[in-house]
Amino acid sequence: MPEGSPASVWQYWSVYMLPPVRALDFVLRSRPLVWLGEVSFAFYMVHLILLNVVRELIGPEKFFGTAAGIGVLVLEALATLAVAWLLYVAVEKPAMRHLGRTRKANTA
């Protein structure tokens, strides 16, 4: 098999790269990371809105030192996670449940 062919690349990948990925499988399936994956779309939808709201509340010309800036960023991230979770629970899950029922009814 010539070096650099797709088969040899796949062999290299499967021998040297997949075992470390499998070793991380337990981390990727942990409850916190699964939860983050579930709320990630809602987080994406609300993060810019909340960043702009906080910037307007604080004032666009207000600057912080490093420690205070990191604190504000952490608080913004936690607030965004909380809103994303609420959006996931109140909108996304019921919508998925409803759409799942209508698909089952249409296929039956």
Side-chain angles (χ1 to χ4, degrees), residues 37-84:
E38 289 174 343
V39 300
S40 64
F41 181 71
F43 187 95
Y44 164 73
M45 295 299 289
V46 300
H47 81 280
L48 192 57
I49 296 168
L50 288 177
L51 286 174
N52 286 329
V53 166
V54 169
R55 184 173 43 147
E56 288 299 318
L57 289 174
I58 292 174
E61 61 279 334
K62 178 82 172 164
F63 292 101
F64 296 99
T66 302
I70 290 173
V72 169
L73 187 63
V74 167
L75 289 175
E76 286 178 345
L78 291 174
T80 303
L81 274 175
V83 172

Side-chain angles (χ1 to χ4, degrees), residues 6-105:
S8 66
V9 170
W10 173 248
Q11 286 173 345
Y12 172 81
W13 176 261
S14 63
V15 170
Y16 295 107
M17 301 305 281
L18 290 181
V21 171
R22 288 188 189 120
L24 290 176
D25 196 37
F26 75 97
V27 174
L28 297 175
R29 291 177 190 246
S30 67
R31 288 184 88 109
L33 289 182
V34 169
W35 180 80
L36 281 174
E38 289 174 343
V39 300
S40 64
F41 181 71
F43 187 95
Y44 164 73
M45 295 299 289
V46 300
H47 81 280
L48 192 57
I49 296 168
L50 288 177
L51 286 174
N52 286 329
V53 166
V54 169
R55 184 173 43 147
E56 288 299 318
L57 289 174
I58 292 174
E61 61 279 334
K62 178 82 172 164
F63 292 101
F64 296 99
T66 302
I70 290 173
V72 169
L73 187 63
V74 167
L75 289 175
E76 286 178 345
L78 291 174
T80 303
L81 274 175
V83 172
W85 175 76
L86 286 173
L87 193 63
Y88 173 73
V89 169
V91 176
E92 197 172 339
K93 272 179 98 171
M96 288 187 297
R97 208 174 307 123
H98 174 71
L99 290 173
R101 269 192 302 226
T102 56
R103 281 188 183 169
K104 287 178 187 173

